Amino acid sequence: DDDDWNAVQQTPTESAFFFFFKKHPKGKYIKKAESTIEELKKKAASKADDDLWATVDPKNQNDLNEYLQKFPEGVHAEEANKAISEIKQEKDKVLKEIEYLHSSLLLQKIKNGVLSWEDLKGHVDQKFIDYLKGLKNPDDLNGVTLQLPSKRDPVTEGQTEVYFWGVPGSGKTCALGSVLATANKNGYLTLAKGSGYGYATQLKNIFKVDGVSILPPPTSEDSTQYLPIKLVKDGKTISVSILEVAGEVFKDYHRLRKGDPVSPNHPDLGELLTSPNRKIHFFFVDYSLKDRVDNDNVKQSDYLQAAASYFEENDIFSKNTDAIYLVVTKSDMMDRNIEVKSYSKGPVCASLTNALKEQCKKNHINGENLIGLKFSIGKVSMGGKLCIHDSTTSENILDILFRKVPEKK
């Protein structure tokens, strides 16, 4: 008994003590053997507990749940339960702001177990959920970067020019894409050849007729794009020169008010505006921007106010302007009781509204009234990356063009 006990002390493993226990079930060291076996079991369990915990990501609920299933009373059980509670709080917060969460971050949170696909129901349109579940390559969520032409062709004489104005980030590019996609879907659209053909092709292909579309990254702010198109509807054919005005122009108007030099990238805008062609102007104001400042600590309302001052001082609408429209983009975010007329009098665009109203009255445009329009490309989610296209407001703009632009003879 003594010799075996001394021997087992040299190799103190659970199996060695268990063998001793079986050999000497009534020996004088039996109590010590039993307690040592229990102690070794506890040490082994504790080591397994620690080893598993070392592999746990404390921000991954799947890892934490797996740990608690194996060690519900484990050394780290309290810490695991606390981490799960924090994840649940994060989940509640994420679900409240789910529409603004970038889709790639959402996929990461699902992978980490913070959210499940089931959690999204009632918070996210089922089409978005199905699209993300079926996504094979998350990099596809980056969208297609629109390729701008290296040059701009001269604007065709005799065609009505349709200007899309807006500060950087106003949504005018997506609005233009929505209009072109809608015209293409309806069979109205023919793109004219030229330097803008590739860009126009990309724009019209942003939006899918049915299903989820990925919105492109922001385009360059400092170049005005010229896209000549032909539209045919019910036997009427019109040709228009679409000019997507650089967002940088509004920054230039702001620089002029400060007495700073303007950008050299679009010196011919003034020449375009004074050409003999008939003109229609759409001014896009982003409802969602409200009074947020940009990287220069300037608000959308500041840029619009500077533009208003420029328009008042330079009278650029005095000739050949057939219509001016104030278009509020992302209008699906507006309360249904808010009308464009009341919004246009608010702090964001009151100065621009007043300046455009004065131009309409002075130059007998729109029956001397500024016309306001709501505009939405559809249901947008996942931090502004995914969209279910709605062509309703794009149809309105196309109807305006068919009414306002003379038929091509």
Side-chain angles (χ1 to χ4, degrees):
D1 196 359
D2 288 338
D3 290 342
D4 286 344
W5 180 253
N6 289 332
V8 83
Q9 301 301 310
Q10 303 305 312
T11 55
T13 63
E14 185 178 344
S15 59
F17 278 99
F18 188 73
F19 180 77
F20 175 86
F21 182 84
K22 289 185 68 178
K23 189 175 180 181
H24 303 283
K26 295 183 179 181
K28 63 181 180 180
Y29 297 109
I30 193 63
K31 294 292 185 184
K32 286 186 177 181
E34 287 177 338
S35 64
T36 303
I37 289 172
E38 288 301 314
E39 186 176 332
L40 288 171
K41 284 182 177 179
K42 288 180 180 179
K43 285 183 178 180
S46 179
K47 184 177 184 308
D49 185 321
D50 288 338
D51 287 348
L52 181 58
W53 183 253
T55 68
V56 170
D57 179 353
K59 294 184 178 180
N60 188 317
Q61 189 166 342
N62 293 330
D63 283 3
L64 295 165
N65 287 336
E66 182 181 347
Y67 169 81
L68 287 173
Q69 284 177 355
K70 292 186 177 180
F71 300 102
E73 304 296 331
V75 177
H76 306 283
E78 182 178 350
E79 190 176 350
N81 282 311
K82 181 180 178 183
I84 288 175
S85 177
E86 291 173 351
I87 288 173
K88 287 180 177 177
Q89 290 177 15
E90 181 186 358
K91 178 172 77 171
D92 291 341
K93 181 181 179 182
V94 168
L95 288 174
K96 288 179 181 177
E97 302 172 351
I98 194 71
E99 294 294 320
Y100 307 102
L101 183 69
H102 194 288
S103 43
S104 59
L105 292 177
L106 174 65
L107 291 175
Q108 187 63 46
K109 291 186 182 298
I110 288 174
K111 182 179 179 181
N112 289 345
V114 175
L115 293 173
S116 68
W117 294 114
E118 194 66 26
D119 290 331
L120 301 183
K121 291 184 177 179
H123 298 277
V124 178
D125 191 288
Q126 188 62 43
K127 286 186 178 180
F128 290 129
I129 296 174
D130 293 341
Y131 176 82
L132 291 171
K133 286 174 73 174
L135 195 67
K136 293 181 180 179
N137 184 4
D139 288 342
D140 291 343
L141 291 169
N142 295 330
V144 175
T145 299
L146 299 174
Q147 300 298 315
L148 301 179
S150 58
K151 64 174 184 176
R152 190 177 74 233
D153 296 332
V155 175
T156 303
E157 291 185 12
Q159 287 188 180
T160 298
E161 297 169 8
V162 179
Y163 288 80
F164 278 52
W165 298 79
V167 304
S170 63
K172 69 179 182 299
T173 298
C174 282
L176 177 54
S178 179
V179 171
L180 293 179
T182 301
N184 187 62
K185 178 191 72 172
N186 293 345
Y188 304 158
L189 179 67
T190 299
L191 302 178
K193 66 179 182 180
S195 60
Y197 182 86
Y199 178 57
T201 300
Q202 285 188 304
L203 281 177
K204 76 175 179 63
N205 291 335
I206 291 173
F207 297 99
K208 297 180 179 178
V209 174
D210 186 26
V212 175
S213 305
I214 302 174
L215 299 180
T219 55
S220 171
E221 299 175 2
D222 60 5
S223 57
T224 294
Q225 304 304 320
Y226 165 50
L227 310 175
I229 65 171
K230 182 171 72 174
L231 297 170
V232 181
K233 178 184 178 184
D234 298 333
K236 180 178 181 178
T237 300
I238 60 173
S239 294
V240 298
S241 297
I242 294 178
L243 288 134
E244 183 191 6
V245 180
E248 185 75 14
V249 169
F250 282 84
K251 291 189 174 184
D252 271 353
Y253 293 150
H254 192 257
R255 292 185 186 106
L256 286 170
R257 302 307 294 174
K258 296 190 297 178
D260 292 345
V262 300
S263 168
N265 294 316
H266 35 79
D268 59 346
L269 181 60
E271 182 180 335
L272 287 171
L273 290 168
T274 55
S275 75
N277 289 339
R278 307 304 303 176
K279 296 172 180 62
I280 297 173
H281 298 274
F282 293 96
F283 285 87
F284 290 86
V285 178
D286 185 347
Y287 178 76
S288 71
L289 281 180
K290 298 184 179 178
D291 263 346
R292 293 202 303 271
V293 295
D294 63 10
N295 292 334
D296 297 319
N297 204 37
V298 181
K299 301 175 183 178
Q300 177 179 219
S301 56
D302 297 325
Y303 291 125
L304 297 179
Q305 187 173 27
S309 297
Y310 181 86
F311 295 153
E312 288 170 347
E313 293 167 4
N314 291 274
D315 201 20
I316 64 172
F317 305 109
S318 60
K319 295 181 179 179
N320 307 319
T321 298
D322 293 325
I324 301 176
Y325 298 88
L326 181 72
V327 186
V328 182
T329 62
K330 302 177 186 174
S331 61
D332 51 296
M333 300 174 67
M334 297 174 69
D335 188 292
R336 290 185 178 182
N337 296 322
I338 298 178
E339 296 297 330
V340 174
K341 186 174 182 179
S342 59
Y343 174 75
S344 67
K345 297 176 181 178
V348 173
C349 53
S351 56
L352 179 64
T353 298
N354 292 333
L356 295 179
K357 278 184 175 180
E358 182 60 30
Q359 292 296 317
C360 289
K361 185 176 181 180
K362 180 179 179 180
N363 297 297
H364 309 290
I365 303 167
N366 300 344
E368 301 187 0
N369 290 303
L370 176 64
I371 300 174
L373 303 171
K374 287 185 178 182
F375 192 92
S376 171
I377 59 175
K379 185 177 290 186
V380 177
S381 188
M382 303 295 103
K385 289 301 295 181
L386 301 182
C387 174
I388 299 172
H389 186 226
D390 183 341
S391 63
T392 305
T393 52
S394 294
E395 298 274 10
N396 293 341
I397 287 184
L398 288 169
D399 287 343
I400 289 170
L401 296 181
F402 277 112
R403 285 189 284 107
K404 293 288 185 179
V405 178
E407 184 170 9
K408 184 178 180 182
K409 301 299 182 183

